[in-house]
Amino acid sequence: EAVDRMKKSIENKSAYEAILLDYEMPEMNGPAAAKIIKSMDIGVFIVGITGNLLLEDVEFFKSCGANAVLPKPLKMKDLEDLLIENGLVSSKADL
């Protein structure tokens, strides 16, 4: 579904600035979706979300195209800080 939504956003010229991908999704896992989305070359910031915090799992997600990986359960402060740190928003008021 994430890949389909990205394709539709390209068609509609309404790009996302960032997307969240869970490592374990029903039809396609997060790393596979990240790889496909990165290959679209649309510049979207991909945040992987996972309960698998072993270094090799995090690095695998990143090698597939995730710009960052956050742990489950997701804490909004961590996501807010990540978006601010990467210039996607200038402050929490922009969220």
Side-chain angles (χ1 to χ4, degrees):
E1 186 176 338
V3 172
D4 291 337
R5 286 182 184 231
M6 294 307 299
K7 287 178 182 175
K8 285 180 185 174
S9 77
I10 294 169
E11 292 169 6
N12 297 332
K13 296 182 170 83
S14 59
Y16 292 92
E17 290 184 39
I19 60 170
L20 307 180
L21 294 176
D22 193 333
Y23 196 103
E24 295 184 26
M25 298 187 295
E27 294 179 28
M28 178 186 303
N29 70 29
K35 191 176 279 192
I36 292 169
I37 292 167
K38 276 297 181 184
S39 75
M40 294 176 186
D41 198 30
I42 53 176
V44 66
F45 189 84
I46 298 174
V47 181
I49 309 295
T50 184
N52 307 326
L53 291 180
L54 296 173
L55 181 60
E56 57 265 18
D57 292 329
V58 171
E59 290 303 317
F60 177 67
F61 214 149
K62 287 182 175 180
S63 75
C64 290
N67 298 91
V69 178
L70 293 175
K72 283 183 182 179
L74 179 63
K75 295 179 181 147
M76 284 305 295
K77 180 176 179 354
D78 293 342
L79 180 58
E80 291 168 352
D81 291 347
L82 181 67
L83 295 176
I84 291 167
E85 178 183 309
N86 286 279
L88 296 167
V89 295
S90 58
S91 70
K92 291 183 182 180
D94 293 336
L95 295 172

